[in-house]
Amino acid sequence: MGNRFQVKDRFADGAQYIGGRLRPGNSGESHTVVDPATGDEVLTYELASTADVDEAVAAAKAAFPAWSGATPGERSDALHRFAAVLAEQAEDFAYAESLQCGKPIKLSTEFDVPGTIDNTAFFAGAARHLQGQAAGEYSGDHTSYVRREAIGVIGSIAPWNYPLQMAAWKVLPAIAAGNTIVLKPAELTPLTSLMFAQAAQEAGIPDGVINIVTGAGRVAGEHLVGHPDVVMTSFTGSTAVGKRVAEIATATVKRLHLELGGKAPFLVFDDADLEAAAHGAVAASLINTGQDCTAATRAYVQRPVYEAFVARVAELMETVRLGDPFEPATDLGPLVSHAQRDRVAGFVERARGYATVVTGGEIPGGPLAGGAYYRPTLIVDAPQDSEVVQAEIFGPVLVVLPFDGDDEGLELANDTPYGLAASAWSRDVYRASRATREMKAGCVWVNDHIPIISEMPHGGYKASGFGKDMSAYSFEEYTQIKHVMYDNTAVAAKDWHRTIFGDR
C-alpha cells in the first residue's frame, strides 16, 4: 500500500485548498501530522489564518452563482464522475487514512473508503430529486408550490475520527443541493479531506465549489463559523465544542447542524442470542479503536445472562490482535494520538477506584510501545452515575451493567445526556419493538450495532445534537424552502381587501 504517492510530495505546496489549488497557510504557525502507530512525522504544514478563511469563503461565494444555477442533472453528472475518480484512487485514500489515523488497513479499505464512494454515488442520484410539494390550489383562488433552493456558502467543521467519511458527509449533500462549501478538517488528520477536494476537481467540479482550510479551531474554525458570508454551519465533534459553535453561529443567525457526542447503550434482554450479542458488543465497542460516536459503550444485560455475557465478551476481547495498521491481520490500531491514549487510560485508572477491570486496561509494551496503543478494556461493577458510564471516553472501553425488568433496562439505557445511537438484542419482536420506540436515540439497531447506509439518516437526540447527515433527509439541512403563490382570479379588488379598507 502507499507506493503510488508520498505524502510530503503530494502536499509540498501546502495544506490549504482554496479556489482549486493547494497553498500554504499564513498563520505563522505550523502543525505536524504524526503516524500514531509509530510517533513518526508524516507531514508538517502551515496552519490557516483568518485571512486564509476569508479567501476560501470568497472563492466559495464567487463559485456559488454558477454552481447553484447548474441543472440538477449537471450536478448529478459531476458527482457520478467524482465517485468514479474516488474509486480509481481508493488505495491511496485507504493508505492516507490509515497513516494519519492509525486505522487498521482492513477498516480503511472495507469501511471508510467504500462507504465514501457509496455516499458520493448516492448523492449523485439524489441531486436529481430535490422536489418540493406539488402545485395545488390550496386557497381556492391561488396556485401554490414549493421551491427547494440552495442557500449559499456552507462553513463546515469535521472531526479527526473519520476524516474522509466526515468530509464526505459535510460536502456531498451541500454541493448536491447547489451550495458551495469551506470545510475545516481537524489539524491532526487533514490528508484525506484535501485529497477529497482534489479528486472533485479531477472529476470536473468547478474550482471554488469545495475549499479546505486546515487551521486551529479557535482561529480558523471560529472565524469560519462567524463569517458574515457563511450562511450555515455544520459541525461534528464533542458536545462541549458544539456549544461554542452554536454560540458563534447564532450570533449571526446562521442555520446550524450539529452532530455531537454519544454514549450508546447496548441493551441485551435475557432471550437474546448470547453469542451474537457478545460478538456484536466486541465489534461495536472496538470499531475505530472505540473512537466512534455511535460505538457501543454501555452494555446493559438482563441479570439471568449477565455473567455469561461478561465472560464471553472478555474471552473475545482477549483474542483481538493489536498491531501495525498496515498488516492485514491487525484488528486494532492505535488511538489517534498519544494525548488521546492517555486520556482514555485516565478514565480507566480512575475507574479502578470504584469498579472492576475484567480485561485490558493497559498500555502495551514491546514493539507497540512507541505508538498510541491501548488494550481492549472491559469494566464491570461501575455505578450508573459514575464517570465511565456517563462520560464519552472515546476509546476501546466497554462498561457492562446488569438490569432486572425491561422497564429498568430501558430507563438505564436512556439515562445519559446523549442520544445518538442505541441497540436492543432480543428474539421477541414485541420486546424489540418496544425498545425501538422508547430508546431516545437517532438510530436504534435491533440485533446489530454499527452498520450505516447512505440511504438512511444519521443524527441524534438531546446532547447529541440535531439535524441529519446522509440520506435525502440531509437536504433539509442544506436547502431553503420557498413558498411561491400565484393569483388565479385576475380580480383587482379582492374580497379579502375589505378587511383592510372599504366595504364588500
Side-chain angles (χ1 to χ4, degrees):
M1 300 294 290
N3 293 327
R4 291 163 58 185
F5 77 93
Q6 295 297 318
V7 170
K8 291 181 181 179
D9 293 340
R10 180 72 172 257
F11 301 109
D13 293 331
Q16 316 301 326
Y17 188 81
I18 299 172
R21 68 180 183 91
L22 285 172
R23 65 165 185 74
N26 289 303
S27 69
E29 297 183 15
S30 63
H31 185 84
T32 299
V33 177
V34 174
D35 177 353
T38 63
D40 294 341
E41 175 192 343
V42 173
L43 176 73
T44 297
Y45 65 92
E46 295 78 20
L47 290 164
S49 66
T50 57
D52 296 320
V53 173
D54 290 342
E55 186 177 336
V57 172
K61 186 176 180 180
F64 176 73
W67 183 248
S68 62
T71 67
E74 289 168 338
R75 291 197 295 269
S76 175
D77 289 347
L79 286 165
H80 277 299
R81 294 193 301 270
F82 190 10
V85 172
L86 293 172
E88 291 168 2
Q89 298 178 8
E91 182 180 288
D92 286 353
F93 274 99
Y95 171 81
E97 195 76 335
S98 287
L99 183 63
Q100 67 182 352
C101 299
K103 294 175 188 282
I105 197 65
K106 65 179 180 179
L107 183 65
S108 294
T109 55
E110 297 179 33
F111 183 73
D112 296 70
V113 174
T116 300
I117 295 168
D118 185 72
N119 262 229
T120 309
F122 170 80
F123 280 106
R128 290 180 177 265
H129 298 283
L130 285 164
Q131 301 98 332
Q133 188 172 345
E137 287 67 51
Y138 299 98
S139 78
D141 291 337
H142 306 82
T143 296
S144 288
Y145 69 88
V146 170
R147 289 178 55 86
R148 190 185 285 271
E149 298 178 345
I151 58 178
V153 177
I154 312 301
S156 293
I157 300 175
W160 48 255
N161 58 332
Y162 288 100
L164 176 60
Q165 285 198 317
M166 295 297 101
W169 287 13
K170 301 300 182 195
V171 168
L172 293 171
I175 69 170
N179 302 288
T180 55
I181 189 167
V182 178
L183 173 73
K184 192 198 90 66
E187 305 97 295
L188 290 173
T189 55
L191 304 182
T192 47
S193 297
L194 293 163
M195 292 167 62
F196 191 69
Q198 289 177 304
Q201 184 188 50
E202 291 180 42
I205 292 175
D207 293 348
V209 172
I210 303 172
N211 305 275
I212 310 293
V213 290
T214 310
R218 291 194 176 275
V219 179
E222 292 197 2
H223 191 65
L224 178 62
V225 173
H227 199 288
D229 289 333
V230 169
V231 298
M232 173 187 161
T233 290
S234 178
F235 170 80
T236 296
S238 71
T239 298
V241 177
K243 291 177 181 178
R244 174 62 179 157
V245 169
E247 289 173 2
I248 299 169
T250 53
T252 51
V253 200
K254 285 178 171 47
R255 183 176 296 196
L256 186 60
H257 168 219
L258 298 175
E259 198 263 90
L260 305 176
K263 191 70 178 174
F266 187 101
L267 187 61
V268 182
F269 294 103
D270 57 9
D271 66 335
D273 181 330
L274 196 62
E275 188 70 3
H279 276 83
V282 173
S285 63
L286 300 184
I287 184 172
N288 202 33
T289 319
Q291 299 166 125
D292 187 311
C293 311
T294 62
T297 59
R298 301 176 290 136
Y300 296 98
V301 183
Q302 204 149 20
R303 205 171 294 276
V305 294
Y306 172 78
E307 290 186 4
F309 178 86
V310 169
R312 185 58 175 143
V313 168
E315 183 179 45
L316 289 172
M317 277 191 171
E318 289 167 4
T319 70
V320 172
R321 299 164 295 187
L322 279 70
D324 179 352
F326 292 100
E327 287 295 330
T330 293
D331 296 322
L332 198 73
L335 288 108
V336 74
S337 68
H338 286 77
Q340 180 65 14
R341 190 271 314 273
D342 293 345
R343 178 180 178 275
V344 171
F347 274 101
V348 177
E349 290 309 306
R350 291 190 295 275
R352 293 184 193 276
Y354 56 80
T356 302
V357 177
V358 177
T359 188
E362 299 172 344
I363 297 172
L368 303 181
Y373 289 91
Y374 198 77
R375 294 199 183 282
T377 301
L378 178 63
I379 296 175
V380 299
D381 303 329
Q384 174 66 15
D385 62 356
S386 63
E387 180 186 48
V388 290
V389 176
Q390 294 293 325
E392 189 173 32
I393 299 172
F394 230 54
V397 179
L398 176 65
V399 184
V400 184
L401 300 92
F403 71 92
D404 291 305
D406 291 15
D407 290 350
E408 181 191 13
L410 289 164
E411 181 180 353
L412 291 170
N414 287 329
D415 183 29
T416 70
Y418 300 104
L420 187 59
S423 63
W425 297 74
S426 172
R427 290 186 174 97
D428 185 326
V429 65
Y430 298 104
R431 211 176 200 183
S433 180
R434 179 191 176 190
T436 66
R437 293 192 305 271
E438 295 188 14
M439 293 175 108
K440 304 304 181 187
C443 177
V444 180
W445 293 280
V446 176
N447 295 327
D448 209 343
H449 192 118
I450 283 297
I452 53 175
I453 50 175
S454 298
E455 292 83 358
M456 289 290 117
H458 177 87
Y461 287 25
K462 303 190 293 185
S464 292
F466 47 81
K468 300 299 178 184
D469 288 309
M470 300 200 298
S471 82
Y473 290 99
S474 65
F475 286 135
E476 303 299 325
E477 317 302 323
Y478 294 100
T479 55
Q480 188 71 269
I481 301 300
K482 178 186 287 183
H483 170 214
V484 178
M485 192 179 217
Y486 284 91
D487 171 58
N488 292 332
T489 67
V491 173
K494 294 178 172 57
D495 187 55
W496 72 266
H497 291 177
R498 68 183 177 82
T499 63
I500 312 302
F501 73 101
D503 300 317
R504 187 182 293 260

